[in-house]
Amino acid sequence: MEIKGQVESIVYYNEDNGYTVCNLDVNNELITAVGNMPFISVGDILQIEGDIINHAIYGEQIKVKSFEKIMPSTTVEVEKYLGSGIVKGVGPVTAKKIVAKYGEDTVNVIRFEPYKLAEISGITSEKAVKISEEFNKEWQLWQIVIFLQKYDIGATNANRVYKELGIYAIDKIKDNPYILLNTLYGVGFETVDKMAISLGFDYNSHFRVSSGIKYALGLSSRNGNTCSRQDELITYVANILKVPEELVVNEITELTYNKELFVENEYVFLNYFYEAEDAIARRVMMMCNDRVKKCINIESKLSDVENQLDIELSTEQKKAIKMVFNNKISIITGGPGTGKTTIIQCILKLLELEKLDFSLCAPTGRAAKRISETAGEEARTLHRLLNLGKMDEDYAINFEVPKLDQDVIIVDEMSMVDTVLMHFLLKALKDKTRLILIGDSDQLPSVGPGNVLKDLIDSDLVPVTKLTQIYRQAQESEIIVNAHKINSGEMIDLSKKDGDFFFINGTDILHQVSELVTERLKKYGNYDPYTDIQVLTPTKKGESGTRYLNKELQKALNPNMPNKNEKEFGGVTFREGDKVMQVKNNYDLTWESLDGKSYGSGIYNGDLGIIKTIHDDGFEVVFDEDKLVYYDIASVDELEHAYAITVHKSQGSEFPVVVMPLVFGPPMLYTRNLLYTAVTRAKELLVIVGDRGAVNRMIANNDIKRRNTGLKYKLDKYFHIFEKK
C-alpha cells in the first residue's frame, strides 16, 4: 500500500545504515513505519510504499519498501516541519511567526528570499541567512537519496555517500561516478558503470578504464590473490569494458606512475597489498638475520618440563622447541596428532621458567578459545592483541597499531592469517620480540588475500620444523589416521562400522542428516544437537549447502510455535531458540553473564550462540552458554543460522561431532585440502553422509587453485639484499 504522512516522532534510528522506526501522522491517525529511511526528521512529509504487517507485540506497522520525502505544502505541514527543530535557529514560536506572515509562500521565501525573514521580530539578517542555509542543506542532503535511487542505488547507501562526499556529493558524482566504488556497500562495478554511461561518460574514459582495472584486482583479491598476472588482467579488463587492450596497458602505466598500482615480476598489485607483502618480507628477513640476544640452555630445562607435564618428548619435538629459542622467527607445522599442542605447552613452561613475557594468540575467537583450553593459558585474538577493532572495513595499510612489549608472541592456527593481518602483526613487534608461528599448512588457506604460512615455508628461508610423527594415542583415532591418509592422497576404508569415523551411503541426504542430528546421534552417544554436533558442508548453495540445510534443520530442531517470536531478515527467518553464528569480529558488543555478576565486551567471528528472545527492536543471544548479548536490528546482519556452516567457517574450531553431507560438486571447490580440513574439525566422532565416489574424487583432487601472491618472490629479493650487506 501507499501512504502519505508527517513524521510525529522517531522511535529508533541507526546512523550506520539508516534503519528507522518512526510514527507517522496519517490523516490524524498514528501509523508506525519501519525500514531503511536515512535522513528523515520529525516534521518531514513522507510518501511511503510498503506492506502492512501485524507484529506480535507492537501491533500493526508498515514495513517500508521505498519512500520519498516531499516538500511540505500546507501551512500546517510547513509550521510543524520548521517547528520540529530540524532547522537550527527555528523553534515552534519562530515557526508560527514565519508561517503566519508568509503563509503558503513560506518555503519559497526561506529557500530563495531569506532576507525577507529579517522583517520578523527576533530574526536578524545574519540569522535569516543561517536559517536559509540550514533549510537548503537538509534539502540538498535529501537530493542525494533521490539522485541515487534513479540508478537503483538504495537509500541505505545515501548515508555513506553523504559522510564521504558531503552535501555537494551529486556534483562530485557527476564529475566522476566511479568514486562511488570506494564508498558504496554491496553495489558492484556494473551498477556504477551503468550510471556513468547514462551520465554521458565515454566508454574509453580514463576514469572508467582505471576503475575497471582496480575493480578487477579487487575481484581477484576476494579469491585470495594479492596480485594478478599482467597479461591476464589486461585481457580481462579489455573484455569486460569492451575497450582496446592498449588503453588498459596505458592506464596500468599511469596508475603505476601514481603508485596506485605496482608491477613486479609480471604481476600487478593494488598498492596496499604490494606494500603489505613488501613490509612482511623485509621484516621477516631482518628477523631471520637477527641474532637472539638471550639464549637459554634448553637441554638442561627440557627434562624438568617433561617431568612437570608427565610427558616424554620425541627427538622431533625437542628439535622444534630448540629451534624457537634460537631464532627470532620460526615455524612449527604439522597435521593432527603430531604433538603441536604438547610443544606449545612445553614452550609456555620454558618461557615461565625464564621469566619471559609472552602472548598466546590466534586469528579467530573460536581458535583462541580452543588453544586456551588445550594449552592452559589465556589466548587472545590477533585483532584484539593489535587493537584492530576500530579499523575501517577497507584496507588501511598505514593504520597505526600499538607496539607489543612482550618478549615472545605465539600465533596458533597460522594458516588462517592473511597478508594484511600478518603485516600489522609484524609492524607491532619490537626488535627484541621472538615470533613463533604454529599451524597446518595443508589446511585451507586464509579467507583474506594471501597464503602467508605456505609462502613462508616454501621460501626455505625461515626456520621450520615439520612434524610428521603421529603419536600412539592419536594412532588409535580413525579420524586422525584417515586425515593423514587423505592429506597424502591415499584412499580410505569407508566400510568400517566401529571407531570414530563413519560413512553412510546417502540417497536422501537431507533426511539422513536431519535424522542423525535430531535422533540417531543422541541415542548413539547422548550428543546434543546444539552443543555437541556441527554439520559442515563445502558450499552454501544446493541441497547439501548451508542455506537449504539450515532451513530444513531449523524446521526439525526449532519449528514455528505460537509461543516463540520470530523475525524475517533478507528472506531468512530467525526464531527464538535458533542456533546462530557471529560472522564478523565486533569488539564493541557488550555482554553480561546470565546471573548478572560479570560483564565484558567482544563477540568474534565464528562464535556460536542461541537466540534467547526476539523483540521488535532487536535480539538477545546467549554465547558460550553464559554470555548474554543484545543485538539491535541494525546489527542482526552479523548473525547467520549455524545448524550447518561451511568448512571455511569452521577453520580454527573443533567440535565433538561433525556430520558432513558430501555429494559431487565443482572440482575447484571439492578439493583434498577442504576434505582434510573438515575431517580435522571432529574431536570425537565424524559421520560423512553421501556418495563414496564424491569422497574418493575429493581425495584424488589435489588440484588446489594456486593463489597469486608476491611474498615468496619478495622474501628471496630481501634475502639477496641482506646477503650482499
Side-chain angles (χ1 to χ4, degrees):
M1 66 175 296
E2 289 187 3
I3 61 168
K4 176 187 172 185
Q6 190 160 24
V7 180
E8 279 284 324
S9 62
I10 295 176
V11 180
Y12 173 82
Y13 178 67
N14 183 285
E15 286 189 5
D16 291 331
N17 60 15
Y19 185 87
T20 306
V21 179
C22 67
N23 291 318
L24 298 176
D25 179 355
V26 182
N27 299 324
N28 296 319
E29 179 185 350
L30 281 184
I31 292 180
T32 300
V34 296
N36 289 319
M37 294 179 282
F39 309 131
I40 70 165
S41 303
V42 172
D44 282 344
I45 313 296
L46 305 183
Q47 184 80 34
I48 289 175
E49 181 182 343
D51 296 324
I52 291 292
I53 58 173
N54 279 295
H55 191 275
I57 298 174
Y58 299 100
E60 192 172 89
Q61 301 176 334
I62 184 164
K63 188 176 181 181
V64 178
K65 287 183 176 177
S66 64
F67 79 106
E68 182 181 354
K69 185 157 71 170
I70 58 180
M71 189 77 78
S73 53
T74 69
T75 54
V76 173
E77 289 174 350
V78 172
E79 184 179 330
K80 188 181 286 188
Y81 178 82
L82 292 174
S84 68
I86 190 172
V87 179
K88 290 179 182 177
V90 179
V93 175
T94 304
K96 196 174 192 69
K97 288 181 182 179
I98 295 172
V99 173
K101 184 167 182 65
Y102 298 111
E104 293 182 359
D105 199 34
T106 298
V107 171
N108 285 331
V109 168
I110 294 173
R111 293 194 69 192
F112 307 114
E113 302 175 283
Y115 59 88
K116 287 186 177 181
L117 294 176
E119 298 171 3
I120 298 172
S121 64
I123 300 180
T124 64
S125 298
E126 185 181 9
K127 186 174 180 180
V129 171
K130 285 185 177 178
I131 289 172
S132 180
E133 286 175 347
E134 286 294 326
F135 189 94
N136 286 322
K137 176 185 173 182
E138 284 297 320
W139 219 251
Q140 286 167 339
L141 184 60
W142 178 244
Q143 300 316 302
I144 297 172
V145 177
I146 297 172
F147 175 77
L148 293 177
Q149 284 182 337
K150 289 180 188 175
Y151 302 100
D152 299 321
I153 297 173
T156 302
N157 269 304
N159 204 23
R160 292 173 182 266
V161 172
Y162 175 67
K163 283 182 178 179
E164 184 76 21
L165 304 178
I167 61 172
Y168 299 109
I170 294 174
D171 292 335
K172 292 177 182 178
I173 293 167
K174 286 179 178 178
D175 288 340
N176 177 15
Y178 298 99
I179 60 174
L180 290 173
L181 292 171
N182 301 322
T183 308
L184 300 185
Y185 178 75
V187 177
F189 177 83
E190 293 86 351
T191 301
V192 175
D193 194 42
K194 186 178 176 182
M195 172 196 281
I197 299 302
S198 68
L199 287 170
F201 274 72
D202 189 89
Y203 266 62
N204 295 343
S205 158
H206 148 73
F207 293 126
R208 183 169 187 262
V209 179
S210 65
S211 296
I213 292 167
K214 288 184 277 190
Y215 165 71
L217 288 168
L219 279 183
S220 180
S221 72
R222 293 189 193 109
N223 289 323
N225 303 302
T226 60
C227 56
S228 294
R229 280 183 57 91
Q230 186 167 3
D231 54 350
E232 293 174 355
L233 177 67
I234 292 166
T235 302
Y236 178 78
V237 174
N239 284 338
I240 63 168
L241 297 185
K242 296 180 174 56
V243 298
E245 287 193 359
E246 63 190 54
L247 274 181
V248 182
V249 173
N250 292 339
E251 201 57 50
I252 289 174
T253 302
E254 182 69 19
L255 289 168
T256 303
Y257 178 78
N258 294 328
K259 294 192 175 179
E260 293 182 65
L261 301 182
F262 285 86
V263 179
E264 180 181 73
N265 197 28
E266 298 302 318
Y267 283 84
V268 183
F269 298 76
L270 287 167
N271 60 351
Y272 36 76
F273 289 133
Y274 181 88
E275 290 172 8
E277 283 189 345
D278 194 70
I280 291 168
R282 186 173 62 252
R283 185 64 190 275
V284 166
M285 293 318 303
M286 286 174 65
M287 293 177 77
C288 286
N289 289 339
D290 194 12
R291 291 187 176 184
V292 175
K293 290 181 180 177
K294 185 177 180 181
C295 295
I296 64 173
N297 189 340
I298 296 294
E299 294 290 352
S300 64
K301 304 280 185 181
L302 272 180
S303 58
D304 293 338
V305 170
E306 286 177 302
N307 290 332
Q308 285 183 39
L309 297 175
D310 193 23
I311 58 170
E312 185 177 344
L313 293 168
S314 69
T315 303
E316 193 176 61
Q317 288 175 315
K318 288 179 180 178
K319 176 189 171 187
I321 294 168
K322 290 175 185 177
M323 175 191 68
V324 304
F325 281 98
N326 291 320
N327 292 280
K328 273 290 183 71
I329 182 170
S330 55
I331 298 171
I332 299 170
T333 184
T338 56
K340 293 194 298 295
T341 301
T342 301
I343 289 172
I344 292 173
Q345 290 171 334
C346 290
I347 291 170
L348 296 178
K349 284 290 182 187
L350 287 165
L351 292 174
E352 288 171 2
L353 287 172
E354 290 298 306
K355 295 182 172 51
L356 292 171
D357 188 26
F358 64 87
S359 276
L360 181 61
C361 51
T364 66
R366 285 192 67 81
K369 182 182 176 185
R370 178 185 170 194
I371 192 61
S372 293
E373 292 168 350
T374 56
E377 287 283 348
E378 182 187 358
R380 287 182 280 177
T381 65
L382 278 167
H383 281 77
R384 183 172 283 284
L385 180 76
L386 301 171
N387 197 28
L388 293 177
K390 297 294 184 183
M391 189 175 73
D392 294 337
E393 290 177 3
D394 296 329
Y395 295 110
I397 213 66
N398 295 317
F399 185 83
E400 287 304 316
V401 291
K403 286 291 183 181
L404 302 174
D405 198 44
Q406 293 88 337
D407 298 301
V408 181
I409 302 292
I410 304 168
V411 183
D412 193 33
E413 295 289 352
M414 182 60 202
S415 63
M416 300 171 66
V417 175
D418 63 28
T419 298
V420 175
L421 188 54
M422 185 63 174
H423 163 67
F424 287 127
L425 173 60
L426 291 172
K427 190 176 180 181
L429 299 185
K430 289 187 175 180
D431 290 340
K432 69 172 184 176
T433 308
R434 286 195 191 104
L435 182 61
I436 304 169
L437 308 175
I438 301 170
D440 185 349
S441 60
D442 292 317
Q443 287 194 26
L444 292 170
S446 57
V447 174
N451 203 356
V452 176
L453 180 61
K454 194 168 190 312
D455 284 348
L456 290 174
I457 293 171
D458 290 349
S459 73
D460 290 328
L461 296 171
V462 182
V464 177
T465 299
K466 295 183 180 180
L467 304 173
T468 57
Q469 182 180 339
I470 305 174
Y471 293 90
R472 184 175 59 80
Q473 189 175 354
Q475 288 174 355
E476 297 171 2
S477 167
E478 288 293 319
I479 292 172
I480 291 176
V481 170
N482 284 337
H484 284 274
K485 285 182 178 178
I486 290 167
N487 197 33
S488 63
E490 183 181 342
M491 296 300 159
I492 57 178
D493 185 356
L494 297 174
S495 63
K496 289 186 178 181
K497 299 299 180 186
D498 56 1
D500 56 8
F501 190 112
F502 292 90
F503 173 80
I504 299 173
N505 191 50
T507 51
D508 185 356
I509 289 180
L510 185 62
H511 173 74
Q512 287 171 301
V513 169
S514 180
E515 192 179 58
L516 279 164
V517 173
T518 56
E519 298 174 22
R520 291 178 64 182
L521 288 169
K522 186 173 180 62
K523 292 176 182 176
Y524 178 81
N526 198 29
Y527 290 115
D528 183 275
Y530 282 84
T531 58
D532 299 326
I533 304 169
Q534 186 58 59
V535 178
L536 298 184
T537 178
T539 180
K540 291 184 176 182
K541 300 177 181 178
E543 288 194 11
S544 63
T546 56
R547 290 170 187 164
Y548 197 72
L549 281 166
N550 273 317
K551 195 176 287 187
E552 295 305 309
L553 288 170
Q554 183 193 43
K555 288 179 188 175
L557 291 168
N558 191 33
N560 175 267
M561 297 179 72
N563 64 335
K564 287 186 176 182
N565 289 327
E566 59 182 52
K567 207 168 188 63
E568 183 183 317
F569 289 92
V572 177
T573 300
F574 289 93
R575 186 174 296 137
E576 290 174 349
D578 273 344
K579 182 178 180 179
V580 291
M581 173 183 275
Q582 173 79 8
V583 294
K584 63 182 289 190
N585 290 327
N586 188 329
Y587 298 87
D588 297 326
L589 276 177
T590 57
W591 57 264
E592 65 174 283
S593 60
L594 291 175
D595 61 10
K597 292 182 179 179
S598 59
Y599 304 86
S601 64
I603 299 296
Y604 308 110
N605 186 5
D607 283 355
L608 295 170
I610 306 294
I611 297 177
K612 184 175 183 283
T613 55
I614 295 178
H615 308 293
D616 188 55
D617 57 353
F619 292 6
E620 286 181 320
V621 181
V622 179
F623 290 94
D624 297 331
E625 300 181 3
D626 189 50
K627 293 179 180 177
L628 182 65
V629 180
Y630 176 75
Y631 288 79
D632 61 28
I633 294 299
S635 302
V636 172
D637 61 356
E638 295 181 13
L639 294 173
E640 289 181 359
H641 279 124
Y643 299 105
I645 63 175
T646 62
V647 177
H648 285 83
K649 276 291 182 188
S650 74
Q651 284 178 271
S653 302
E654 208 174 49
F655 309 98
V657 180
V658 167
V659 176
M660 188 179 187
L662 204 54
V663 295
F664 286 98
M668 65 180 295
L669 179 61
Y670 283 64
T671 60
R672 181 189 298 172
N673 71 333
L674 185 136
L675 179 60
Y676 171 72
T677 302
V679 170
T680 56
R681 300 308 91 201
K683 192 174 180 181
E684 299 174 18
L685 185 66
L686 175 77
V687 184
I688 296 177
V689 183
D691 191 297
R692 291 175 186 271
V695 177
N696 292 334
R697 192 171 82 168
M698 284 184 79
I699 295 172
N701 180 18
N702 199 32
D703 186 21
I704 301 166
K705 188 177 179 183
R706 190 177 75 84
R707 291 189 168 190
N708 291 329
T709 69
L711 180 57
K712 191 177 168 185
Y713 178 85
K714 292 180 180 71
L715 286 164
D716 190 61
K717 177 180 73 175
Y718 278 108
F719 169 75
H720 290 295
I721 290 172
F722 292 145
E723 189 179 44
K724 288 176 183 176
K725 289 182 180 179

